[in-house]
Amino acid sequence: MMKWYLGAGLVALLLISPFIYLNVWGVRATLWMGADEQFQADLAAGKTTADQAPEFPTSPLQWLQDRSELKAAFNLEGMNKERVVSFAIDLTFDELLADGEDMPDAELIPLYAEARAPQYLMQFCPEILNSVGNKCIVISSHVSVAKDGAVRLSGDLAYLPTYDLGVPADESGYDLLTSIESNTDKGQGLLPEFNPTTRVEFMDHAVGNCAKLRAEYGNCILSDIRFGNDTLSDYELRSYPENAAPVRLKASAWYSVYMLDSPETLQKFHDTVKGFEPS
Amino acid sequence: MSSNNNQNSFQERLARLEGKKPNAKPDPKASEPKPTLERPDYSKPKISMVRQIQVWGFVIIVLLLAGAYLLNTAMPGIFSPKVASLESAGTETETTANEVENAAPPIAISIVQSDQGAIYGARTVLGFDGADAVVGDFVFRSQDAPEGKNPTTTAEFEFNSACELRRPVSGENVMGVRLAATGQVSDVAAFDKGEMARKLLSGLQVSTEFRRSIRLGETEERKSDYTQLGQFDGSMNVVDVLLTDASEPVYLVLQTRGGRIIWNLHMAPGVTLAHVVMIAQGKVGLSGLPNGTTFEALRISDFVEPHFFGADDEPRDCMIRPWRKPQPNWIAWQKAQNSPGLQANMIETFTKGYAAYDRWYQGAFGVSASTNTVAAQSADHVLLGPKPPEKFQYRPIAGNDLVVIKSDFLIVGDLATRRAQTAQLHSEMMQAALGGDLTTLWPDAMQGESQ
């Protein structure tokens, strides 16, 4: 009888141990909130520096998520959200209407905008097919409509890469690390015009840089290429050639490499990306 | 010889020890095998079924009683429904002994207390004196009741644009009904394009992850079916208001913090209705209004900001949100006596809100908000006045004239009819929102030429 009790106790302990572990993590996360609040206060008072920020405790299930993300990132059999081209652009509502279509009642505009967002984003697929991928689909979209009718449209397009991803090394201590190159960084010069040609050029530029990283690290993925538009004021346009279009392209490329996860290697990675020639 | 003597003395001692006589003859039964005693096996306790039933039965009864006690504490009165005699909803004929004997089974009166007051169940009437009664105690349904459920005519009206109402004149008896909700559903649905659009938009926004998983092939692919996004219901509820005070023309004030109520008026013989005022948030309507009787309505949100804790505490002009005065039999009131907290805040909100509302009410109608007014959390039937000397005719919405606040869509019909028409309206709106093609909600992947 004692053996049965012991066995049942062990099984129960096995079953509840993940919950105990999660609760311990939950307590640690709560303690982190307090530590972070204190850190922010100290930072504001000049008593500490940004690099001393307390680290958020890793979730006990993070390794599961990391493995599935890693697998998806290098999977060439299908599209997924680990490799996307995302857009966050401002437009006017009538750009979502068909030619000759009447403006709907004001109370219907948010519904119309949200409903038409996926089809509007599909117009960017030909550019993606022209540079980074050979299959493209809209996987998310969202719209917010301001009171003056201005529309902010954002969305992600997943694609199947045509560029070589490389092979992730089978080593311990490795992780998928990301560094970002943006055309709004210092020294990048004037923003290009917001049009299909400049967007394709930026994507080609990112593919080229990814190839350089792959030569060094054995692999590279463009986990995200982000496009946005910025309408410059007359004052800002003074820096641009005469008759320059006011709507300019803001773009960033997110390079993800599976490499040794250490402060030194990460810093070297960032330095490499920072050293890329502007697009 | 001595050895024999020694042996005999030994035998004698032995016999004494064994309690036998020294020269007793041996027990003939001694040679018989002794019966072996069966010792119980304590490693395997014997299970008595009777004892098991006794023990577990006791445990279950204790648990049930504890649960009933806790439920009764949370909702007092839930276990004490009263039974009234029937005489309701049957046809008006000469009462005969046979008819009494064949009467339907008694209807239970249902009044359940909640945090914010009494909830009067189906057929139970909310009246002045709180006497427990069912609607059939006061009205009868005529044999000539119209078939179907559609009103005779429908008309629309609009809320007042200003916070002004016709004042009662001398000789008019101001009477009121104040409810938070009702549970009786009508066959009328009224709603606007904006309400439909917001519902569809909300469905689009919450379905983002679902649509992503479909597009990535993680979930079985389905082409757009907008009905997955949800539909706006728009059904109106109905409250029967039985008016029995014939002493003076009645100035009737019908109040609810919510909306979607059709006030169905039933007047006993001799009752005169001078004017009707409705105060509500959202859709509201009137049925059974006598020809020539004037009416008007105020929408709460036109004059009062959305409520948050403390917002309605200050008396001010046009504070028309109809708070009810808290009563000692409210559960929140009782809980608030024991400890501060959510219920205490709730009672404070109702107390101060009622005081502010009462101030406006007195200014608008000349009497306190409690005068000649019945109030509850929820009720389907309300009696304003004394018990009538005899029953009078109940008039359902079907066959009555109906006036409803102006709406983009007004659908009258049974549930199936309303659902079909509502679904059709949603489909048309979604199709227009998508530019005519429902499949654009789920665009197919685009392939490159190289593949």
Side-chain angles (χ1 to χ4, degrees):
Chain A
M1 181 61 73
M2 184 57 67
K3 276 189 283 188
W4 285 110
Y5 286 138
L6 276 174
L10 273 171
V11 169
L13 197 61
L14 270 170
L15 287 172
I16 66 172
S17 54
F19 298 100
I20 295 172
Y21 193 13
L22 280 170
N23 272 288
V24 166
W25 171 78
V27 167
R28 289 174 60 204
T30 307
L31 291 174
W32 172 88
M33 285 165 66
D36 184 63
E37 206 175 307
Q38 181 62 47
F39 168 76
Q40 297 295 340
D42 290 344
L43 192 66
K47 291 181 189 171
T48 185
T49 51
D51 59 349
Q52 298 298 316
E55 219 173 285
F56 190 77
T58 310
S59 159
L61 299 176
Q62 188 64 40
W63 66 276
L64 269 177
Q65 194 177 350
D66 288 344
R67 294 310 102 192
S68 66
E69 283 174 1
L70 181 65
K71 206 173 157 186
F74 285 93
N75 179 16
L76 283 174
E77 292 179 11
M79 296 179 285
N80 54 59
K81 56 184 174 65
E82 305 309 322
R83 302 177 300 245
V84 297
V85 176
S86 50
F87 287 82
I89 53 180
D90 297 317
L91 52 146
T92 56
F93 179 74
D94 53 12
E95 293 181 58
L96 296 172
L97 295 174
D99 289 336
E101 187 179 1
D102 292 332
M103 183 72 76
D105 293 340
E107 58 199 347
L108 301 181
I109 284 177
L111 173 64
Y112 275 51
E114 187 79 34
R116 296 183 183 204
Q119 191 60 27
Y120 184 87
L121 286 167
M122 282 301 288
Q123 69 173 300
F124 299 115
C125 266
E127 301 163 22
I128 294 173
L129 298 178
N130 217 3
S131 56
V132 294
N134 59 14
K135 200 173 179 184
C136 167
I137 193 169
V138 173
I139 60 169
S140 74
S141 62
H142 177 68
V143 170
S144 60
V145 180
K147 283 184 181 172
D148 61 359
V151 174
R152 176 88 172 166
L153 189 152
S154 56
D156 293 341
L157 291 89
Y159 64 92
L160 205 54
T162 48
Y163 59 88
D164 185 10
L165 303 180
V167 178
D170 186 12
E171 304 270 0
S172 64
Y174 274 49
D175 205 352
L176 203 58
L177 305 181
T178 300
S179 188
I180 305 169
E181 177 197 13
S182 171
N183 73 348
T184 58
D185 290 339
K186 274 186 186 170
Q188 289 282 333
L190 301 177
L191 296 178
E193 192 177 323
F194 184 80
N195 61 44
T197 305
T198 57
R199 290 192 291 267
V200 170
E201 280 176 3
F202 185 85
M203 284 191 278
D204 289 341
H205 162 82
V207 169
N209 287 336
C210 211
K212 294 175 189 171
L213 289 171
R214 189 167 54 253
E216 184 173 346
Y217 294 102
N219 65 88
C220 176
I221 300 166
L222 286 167
S223 53
D224 199 352
I225 301 176
R226 294 192 180 179
F227 291 123
N229 59 1
D230 198 8
T231 304
L232 301 182
S233 63
D234 290 338
Y235 179 80
E236 289 167 318
L237 273 174
R238 292 194 314 178
S239 313
Y240 286 74
E242 199 175 342
N243 298 324
V247 184
R248 315 307 290 188
L249 172 71
K250 290 197 299 188
S252 60
W254 295 50
Y255 304 100
S256 293
V257 170
Y258 190 67
M259 56 188 286
L260 179 67
D261 185 4
S262 75
E264 295 79 24
T265 56
L266 182 60
Q267 188 58 51
K268 182 169 176 288
F269 179 33
H270 286 323
D271 291 340
T272 304
V273 169
K274 235 183 229 177
F276 285 150
E277 292 291 324
S279 61
Chain B
M1 198 64 132
S2 63
S3 64
N4 281 340
N5 282 339
N6 285 339
Q7 207 168 17
N8 284 338
S9 65
F10 175 73
Q11 291 291 341
E12 284 172 14
R13 284 202 298 275
L14 188 59
R16 276 200 301 274
L17 282 172
E18 290 180 352
K20 291 180 187 173
K21 290 187 180 170
N23 296 320
K25 289 182 183 172
D27 188 352
K29 291 183 183 175
S31 61
E32 291 177 5
K34 291 182 182 175
T36 54
L37 287 175
E38 244 185 61
R39 294 187 182 278
D41 182 358
Y42 292 109
S43 63
K44 293 180 187 175
K46 215 174 176 182
I47 299 173
S48 161
M49 185 55 65
V50 172
R51 179 54 59 90
Q52 289 281 316
I53 291 171
Q54 287 173 341
V55 170
W56 284 110
F58 175 75
V59 169
I60 289 169
I61 288 170
V62 167
L63 287 174
L64 284 173
L65 287 173
Y69 170 75
L70 291 171
L71 193 60
N72 192 54
T73 305
M75 296 176 73
I78 192 172
F79 291 115
S80 57
K82 295 177 194 168
V83 174
S85 59
L86 174 71
E87 303 167 11
S88 71
T91 57
E92 170 76 353
T93 59
E94 288 183 7
T95 306
T96 64
N98 283 341
E99 283 169 348
V100 169
E101 283 171 6
N102 293 335
I107 296 172
I109 289 175
S110 167
I111 305 172
V112 176
Q113 277 300 334
S114 72
D115 269 348
Q116 296 181 12
I119 298 173
Y120 284 69
R123 304 279 184 96
T124 308
V125 175
L126 163 66
F128 279 133
D129 56 6
D132 300 332
V134 290
V135 64
D137 292 342
F138 311 115
V139 293
F140 65 88
R141 197 183 282 262
S142 168
Q143 279 182 315
D144 297 326
E147 289 184 11
K149 300 207 175 169
N150 292 353
T152 303
T153 58
T154 56
E156 290 184 324
F157 67 97
E158 296 193 21
F159 286 110
N160 289 5
S161 56
C163 189
E164 291 164 1
L165 296 167
R166 162 185 163 329
R167 273 191 76 86
V169 299
S170 170
E172 286 178 348
N173 184 17
V174 179
M175 306 187 87
V177 180
R178 194 173 307 129
L179 300 175
T182 179
Q184 192 172 212
V185 182
S186 75
D187 279 337
V188 178
F191 51 96
D192 297 324
K193 281 188 287 190
E195 291 172 311
M196 265 173 55
R198 282 191 292 277
K199 182 71 176 178
L200 287 170
L201 175 62
S202 170
L204 275 177
Q205 289 168 341
V206 301
S207 66
T208 301
E209 278 299 318
F210 172 68
R211 285 185 285 152
R212 188 214 310 268
S213 70
I214 286 185
R215 286 169 184 154
L216 291 176
E218 296 160 5
T219 307
E220 185 190 329
E221 186 172 346
R222 280 174 281 180
K223 284 304 175 188
S224 72
D225 177 6
Y226 81 95
T227 55
Q228 297 165 34
L229 307 175
Q231 295 183 39
F232 188 80
D233 185 359
S235 292
M236 303 276 288
N237 290 341
V238 59
V239 174
D240 291 311
V241 182
L242 312 181
L243 296 160
T244 57
D245 190 333
S247 59
E248 287 176 315
V250 175
Y251 184 110
L252 185 60
V253 187
L254 303 167
Q255 312 143 63
T256 177
R257 281 173 54 204
R260 306 212 154 271
I261 290 182
I262 296 173
W263 303 96
N264 190 15
L265 307 180
H266 311 267
M267 280 168 295
V271 172
T272 309
L273 196 54
H275 187 67
V276 179
V277 166
M278 289 171 283
I279 299 171
Q281 179 56 42
K283 302 294 181 190
V284 70
L286 270 178
S287 172
L289 193 68
N291 282 335
T293 305
T294 54
F295 65 93
E296 56 189 329
L298 292 176
R299 179 166 44 204
I300 297 169
S301 60
D302 288 345
F303 309 102
V304 186
E305 289 174 358
H307 178 257
F308 56 90
F309 183 70
D312 289 348
D313 290 359
E314 288 300 316
R316 59 188 187 275
D317 291 341
C318 205
M319 213 311 282
I320 61 170
R321 184 171 282 122
W323 293 98
R324 287 172 291 120
K325 189 175 182 182
Q327 303 297 318
N329 59 3
W330 290 16
I331 293 177
W333 176 293
Q334 292 160 18
K335 287 179 183 173
Q337 307 309 307
N338 296 328
S339 62
L342 185 64
Q343 282 80 20
N345 289 344
M346 188 186 295
I347 296 302
E348 181 185 340
T349 295
F350 271 82
T351 303
K352 291 184 177 174
Y354 173 78
Y357 177 66
D358 186 40
R359 176 181 174 275
W360 168 80
Y361 198 97
Q362 292 191 42
F365 306 117
V367 297
S368 159
S370 299
T371 302
N372 291 334
T373 296
V374 293
Q377 169 70 5
S378 174
D380 298 348
H381 315 280
V382 171
L383 175 69
L384 278 184
K387 183 176 176 178
E390 56 183 16
K391 294 186 193 177
F392 59 101
Q393 188 174 348
Y394 175 92
R395 295 183 183 279
I397 291 180
N400 260 350
D401 292 339
L402 175 67
V403 288
V404 179
I405 203 72
K406 194 165 188 287
S407 309
D408 291 331
F409 306 108
L410 182 66
I411 304 172
V412 181
D414 60 18
L415 182 62
T417 303
R418 297 202 309 274
R419 277 191 176 160
Q421 291 191 27
T422 303
Q424 178 66 23
L425 289 168
H426 281 73
S427 173
E428 289 169 2
M429 176 174 281
M430 200 63 208
Q431 204 146 27
L434 289 165
D437 185 0
L438 288 173
T439 64
T440 57
L441 191 58
W442 317 78
D444 286 327
M446 197 179 286
Q447 303 261 3
E449 289 177 2
S450 55
Q451 193 158 355

